[in-house]
Amino acid sequence: MIPLSVPNLKGNEEKYVLDAVRTEWVSTGGGYINQFEKNIAKYLNVEQAVACQSGTAGLHLALIACDVTCEDEVIVPTLTFIAAVNPIKYLGATPIFMDCDNSLCMDMEKLEDFLQTQCDIQNDKLVNKATGKIIKAVVVVHVFGNLANMEKLVELSKKFGFKIIEDATEALGTYQLNNKKFAGTFGDFGVFSFNGNKIITTGGGGMIVSNDTKKLNYIKYLSTQAKDDELNYIHNDVGYNYRMTNLQAALGVAQLEQLENFIATKKNNYAIYKEETRTSSEIKLLNFREDIRPNYWFYSLLLENETPTNMINICQQNKIQVRPIWGLIHEQKPYKNCEAYKIEKAKYYQKKIINIPCSSNLTKEEVLLVVQVLVKG
């Protein structure tokens, strides 16, 4: 079986985890948590990072820090994993769905059109004319390790006054070439995931980054049950059990040490896939943006004539794990009544794309075997 995306645990993971076990710091206290936060902040060149239990938890906390309430709306992509949107519902707020561009990330031209034609500025607040509700934030997702058009989004944020939360859960290590600015560091908050299929893993876990240390300290406070007096159990806010464990962080410290090697391997395998499928008229490997260094997390295969279901079945018969892209969120039952603005390209790509094996421990021989099956169809 050639898996889609599995962890690569060949560094210091066992050493650090055993150290955490032997010193008996295994829960939400311990040196590895602090070390992992410092190492991530240094790698991304940000002021501070706060570790949490998942990327979803990180998005929830970031939305709270942006003062999103049940009275507000948040603009989101429809072509993404549903965890990017669900935290908005946790707060009782309402998502507005936006189309993707050819990078599979949010279409900033359509976003600008929506803001200019469907919204007003009232008392320095961005208001949706159709609902009268304030649009507090945009959650932008860097899909499959690509980078959304963040320069345009930052420009729009300054003009229209909304907060930016970057869902960089798939894009750790991706950066813009002209300034080496990393995904997750353009907006007000960036959120990362270390789930088992991500480019580095802590089994489960996430990280929130920002240069607003006051807000991040508030996020850390909320993530540890909002303890104002730990001895006497005084809590002045509603907190959450969202802190990463020391065992998870021990894995993370070891994984981060290998991140650049993982990216180099994934880049090489992507190049092999690209070359071997170059002459095919049936399948096409989607490009990453040319002005970025992607982390090459997932490879997107565009099927010109074949259906995803048929290709997935063929791959399964040959013991190759592939997957379809997500179902569009605005079409999902919990979100069918939400506003969706000019969704076009997302509908096209949703019917045409599958993801193919991309693990950082994938060998050249395995890549060639996958290509052979894909080309033969």
Side-chain angles (χ1 to χ4, degrees):
M1 181 70 181
I2 300 177
L4 177 68
S5 181
V6 292
N8 189 336
L9 305 172
K10 299 178 178 67
N12 288 314
E13 291 85 2
E14 183 177 3
K15 175 184 176 182
Y16 296 163
V17 169
L18 284 175
D19 179 58
V21 170
R22 286 166 180 159
T23 57
E24 299 182 345
W25 287 97
V26 297
S27 191
T28 55
Y32 283 108
I33 305 173
N34 296 331
Q35 189 62 52
F36 190 32
E37 290 172 331
K38 289 178 182 177
N39 291 357
I40 286 283
K42 182 179 179 181
Y43 177 80
L44 295 173
N45 193 30
V46 293
E47 288 291 326
Q48 190 176 343
V50 173
C52 57
Q53 277 290 336
S54 65
T56 309
L59 290 168
H60 186 196
L61 293 169
L63 286 161
I64 293 171
C66 288
D67 300 319
V68 173
T69 73
C70 61
E71 300 295 323
D72 301 319
E73 295 179 334
V74 178
I75 296 173
V76 296
T78 188
L79 186 68
T80 185
F81 183 46
I82 202 166
V85 179
N86 284 341
I88 296 164
K89 281 285 192 179
Y90 299 169
L91 297 170
T94 304
I96 300 169
F97 291 98
M98 200 60 52
D99 201 9
C100 71
D101 60 19
N102 291 327
S103 74
L104 305 184
C105 300
M106 186 180 289
D107 187 329
M108 298 305 168
E109 301 305 320
K110 281 188 178 176
L111 173 61
E112 182 175 29
D113 181 64
F114 175 81
L115 296 172
Q116 289 178 337
T117 64
Q118 307 301 312
C119 301
D120 281 329
I121 303 295
Q122 299 176 13
N123 299 320
D124 295 325
K125 303 293 185 182
L126 179 63
V127 176
N128 183 346
K129 289 190 287 189
T131 63
K133 290 188 175 184
I134 295 170
I135 299 174
K136 279 279 181 71
V138 170
V139 175
V140 59
V141 182
H142 302 302
V143 177
F144 299 150
N146 227 324
L147 185 72
N149 184 353
M150 291 308 298
E151 290 183 337
K152 181 67 174 181
L153 183 58
V154 170
E155 174 191 317
L156 293 173
S157 171
K158 291 176 179 177
K159 180 177 179 180
F160 291 97
F162 55 81
K163 299 291 186 182
I164 298 173
I165 299 172
E166 292 179 71
D167 181 335
T169 52
E170 302 170 1
L172 180 65
T174 294
Y175 59 78
Q176 194 163 278
L177 288 174
N178 65 348
N179 54 12
K180 204 175 179 182
K181 195 169 180 64
F182 283 90
T185 69
F186 289 83
D188 296 275
F189 297 97
V191 179
F192 298 89
S193 169
F194 310 119
N195 194 26
N197 67 345
K198 295 301 190 291
I199 194 162
I200 70 170
T201 185
T202 58
M207 192 77 71
I208 310 118
V209 302
S210 177
N211 287 317
D212 188 335
T213 56
K214 184 177 179 181
K215 288 282 190 180
L216 274 183
N217 287 332
Y218 178 59
I219 282 174
K220 184 175 180 180
Y221 161 78
L222 291 180
S223 76
T224 53
Q225 297 289 17
K227 299 173 185 174
D228 290 272
D229 185 330
E230 294 188 27
L231 178 63
N232 295 301
Y233 298 99
I234 304 300
H235 307 266
N236 294 325
D237 209 331
V238 176
Y240 304 88
N241 184 21
Y242 278 174
R243 188 73 170 150
M244 180 180 281
T245 69
N246 204 45
L247 283 176
Q248 291 173 314
L251 274 177
V253 171
Q255 286 274 284
L256 188 58
E257 292 173 349
Q258 304 168 80
L259 174 57
E260 287 299 320
N261 289 333
F262 292 165
I263 293 173
T265 298
K266 291 170 81 71
K267 178 182 179 181
N268 289 337
N269 285 336
Y270 175 82
I272 297 170
Y273 272 126
K274 192 78 173 173
E275 177 59 27
E276 295 297 321
T277 60
R278 181 173 52 84
T279 59
S280 173
S281 60
E282 299 297 318
I283 58 176
K284 175 186 176 184
L285 200 62
L286 288 193
N287 295 320
F288 292 92
R289 281 179 49 183
E290 292 183 357
D291 59 344
I292 69 168
R293 194 291 294 267
N295 70 354
Y296 299 93
W297 178 58
F298 259 30
Y299 310 145
S300 300
L301 194 71
L302 184 70
L303 305 176
E304 297 288 355
N305 299 308
E306 188 65 84
T307 65
T309 300
N310 191 48
M311 183 62 81
I312 290 168
N313 289 336
I314 291 169
C315 289
Q316 286 177 340
Q317 290 166 12
N318 287 274
K319 297 184 178 180
I320 297 169
Q321 185 183 20
V322 299
R323 75 170 201 188
I325 204 167
W326 316 280
L328 302 183
I329 302 177
H330 80 282
E331 296 177 348
Q332 308 281 341
K333 187 175 180 180
Y335 298 103
K336 280 188 174 180
N337 294 326
C338 295
E339 185 173 1
Y341 189 70
K342 296 183 180 180
I343 308 299
E344 297 163 329
K345 285 188 177 179
K347 291 182 178 181
Y348 169 78
Y349 284 120
Q350 196 275 328
K351 295 175 182 178
K352 292 286 186 178
I353 285 179
I354 62 171
N355 296 121
I356 57 179
C358 59
S359 301
S360 57
N361 46 27
L362 192 68
T363 66
K364 180 179 179 180
E365 290 72 24
E366 288 172 325
V367 172
L368 293 174
L369 179 58
V370 173
V371 170
Q372 184 180 12
V373 172
L374 292 172
V375 171
K376 288 172 69 175

